[in-house]
Amino acid sequence: MAVKTTVTLLLDTNIFIPLEPTATSGVEPGSEQAAQLIRSCSTAGVQVFLHPLIAEDIDSDRNEHRRALRHTLATKYLTLPSPPSLSAEIVDIFGEPERQHNDHVDLHLLAAL
């Protein structure tokens, strides 16, 4: 009996932002490649998730309109359910990042992987 596995992809903010430009000027050189990645995932049945802490990265945007729009755009993605906390091993290797720093979110993405 074959076991069905679900393939998932966890997006970092650095991929989410090119995927979801908030203005024509926000289209980045990586936007096309990011869109191709999502299209390939959709075709292959890969589930695409955002970590709940991506909201913290979005909150760091000083432009209120763009920040609000990105929060809205993020709702079309699945949210990673019950992501783990940082392990002692990750903290030992990378240190404990400040909560307001991008590394805080990045390390939580690493822990989820």
Side-chain angles (χ1 to χ4, degrees):
M1 176 194 245
V3 176
K4 183 178 178 180
T5 59
T6 303
V7 178
T8 59
L9 176 68
L10 183 60
L11 294 181
D12 182 49
T13 311
N14 294 327
I15 301 298
F16 170 73
I17 288 174
L19 273 173
E20 304 295 345
T22 57
T24 306
S25 62
V27 176
E28 300 180 10
S31 292
E32 183 178 345
Q33 290 84 358
Q36 289 173 356
L37 172 67
I38 296 303
R39 183 174 45 253
S40 295
C41 288
S42 179
T43 302
V46 174
Q47 291 181 308
V48 179
F49 289 90
L50 293 178
H51 193 288
L53 290 181
I54 291 293
E56 289 185 14
D57 271 350
I58 294 170
D59 284 341
S60 68
D61 188 342
R62 295 181 186 169
N63 181 309
E64 184 178 336
H65 174 73
R66 187 175 54 216
R67 183 177 59 241
L69 185 53
R70 284 199 174 128
H71 277 296
T72 299
L73 293 169
T75 63
K76 68 178 159 182
Y77 296 90
L78 297 170
T79 301
L80 187 66
S82 306
S85 300
L86 294 181
S87 68
E89 182 180 20
I90 288 175
V91 173
D92 285 346
I93 294 169
F94 297 103
E96 183 72 47
E98 295 178 34
R99 186 155 182 95
Q100 294 77 22
H101 195 276
N102 181 269
D103 288 347
H104 173 76
V105 176
D106 288 346
L107 289 181
H108 277 84
L109 288 168
L110 179 62
L113 296 175

